[in-house]
């Protein structure tokens, strides 16, 4: 039996991680010049983090190095166990270059052990949904190969849409030009951003905050949500907007299981306070 790994960029809340017995890799972020590692909400005050951002503190993220990955993986291999790691999207970070180099070193040092890596192609709780249901398969006794097959089929059914409160954070992260941020702010345009082929892209423009929240929920019908899986509402410390989004979701899916969760500091560094996200699984074709 292998050990199941994910990373904190999947944002699956720590209580679910602990219940499933998942090992996770903490991803780093910096705010106010101090570096931290996200623990999936166990001891991190996510609301305080967004409060600091609102107060003008600049938040940044960085990649792990080879030694970091070796520190996570080597004790498991040394103990005689294999590893399966369901990652966040490889197209969203350079950290996987370091991971691959670390794995090559570990394969040479532990030739009898196996490290299997599979890309969820998602970020935040879109990756979290993939991790959650892959871990359930793993815990039921599925082989690493069976878990990989499940992830490669299931990830294409997971949908992610979010809208931000302030375009300045997308501009800082290079996902929006200064000109588009200025025009969008001037005309109160709120982009709807989704994951396309492992990358975040602007798929729609909404006029105003309330309209953007309504437009998010419209994707439940457009993508034919599968209500056998939970619908997740993510938010970056904006409870009033969550209530609006929750109302839209319940109107369309009154019997669905709905998870609500705060965005973490790593993802929040890029999207900023007042972000609202909607994540769900669409029906299999």
């Amino acid at each position: 039996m292998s050990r199941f790994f994910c990373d904190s960029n999947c944002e699956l809340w720590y209580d679910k991680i602990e219940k499933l017995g998942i090992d996770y890799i903490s991803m780093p972020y910096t705010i106010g010049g101090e570096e931290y590692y996200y623990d999936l909400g166990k001891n991190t005050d996510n609301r305080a983090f967004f409060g600091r951002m609102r107060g003008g503190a600049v938040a940044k993220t960085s990649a792990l190095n080879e030694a970091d990955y070796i520190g996570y993986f080597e004790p498991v291999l040394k103990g005689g166990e294999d590893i399966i790691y369901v990652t966040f999207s490889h197209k969203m970070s350079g950290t996987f270059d370091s991971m691959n180099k670390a794995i090559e070193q570990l394969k040479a040092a532990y030739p009898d052990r196996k490290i299997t890596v599979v890309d969820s192609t998602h970020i935040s709780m879109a990756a979290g949904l993939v991790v959650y249901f892959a871990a359930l398969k793993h815990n039921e006794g599925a082989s690493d190969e069976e878990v990989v097959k499940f992830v490669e089929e299931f990830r294409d059914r997971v949908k992610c849409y979010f809208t931000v409160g302030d375009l300045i954070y997308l501009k800082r992260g290079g996902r929006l030009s200064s000109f588009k941020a200025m025009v969008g702010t001037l005309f109160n345009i709120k982009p709807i951003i989704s994951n396309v082929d492992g990358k975040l892209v602007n798929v729609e423009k909404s006029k105003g905050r309330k309209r953007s929240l309504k437009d998010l929920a419209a994707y439940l019908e457009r993508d034919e949500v599968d209500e056998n899986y939970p619908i997740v509402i993510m938010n970056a410390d904006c409870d009033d907007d969550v209530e609006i989004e929750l109302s839209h979701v319940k109107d369309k899916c009154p019997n669905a299981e709905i998870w609500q969760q705060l965005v973490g500091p790593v993802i929040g560094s890029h999207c900023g306070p007042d972000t609202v996200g909607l994540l769900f699984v669409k029906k299999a074709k």
Side-chain angles (χ1 to χ4, degrees), residues 184-216:
T185 300
L186 181 64
F187 291 99
N188 196 25
I189 299 298
K190 301 296 183 182
I192 304 293
I193 297 169
S194 184
N195 178 8
V196 178
D197 192 28
K199 296 180 180 179
L200 296 177
V201 298
N202 185 359
V203 294
E204 187 176 349
K205 297 175 183 176
S206 299
K207 178 65 174 177
R209 179 66 162 181
K210 290 185 178 180
R211 181 67 197 189
S212 70
L213 297 175
K214 186 175 182 179
D215 288 343
L216 281 181

Side-chain angles (χ1 to χ4, degrees), residues 2-21:
S2 58
R3 289 268 287 275
F4 191 105
F5 273 79
C6 70
D7 50 65
S8 61
N9 279 355
C10 81
E11 298 208 296
L12 192 62
W13 206 245
Y14 75 91
D15 59 347
K16 292 182 174 64
I17 289 284
E18 292 178 353
K19 185 175 181 179
L20 290 169

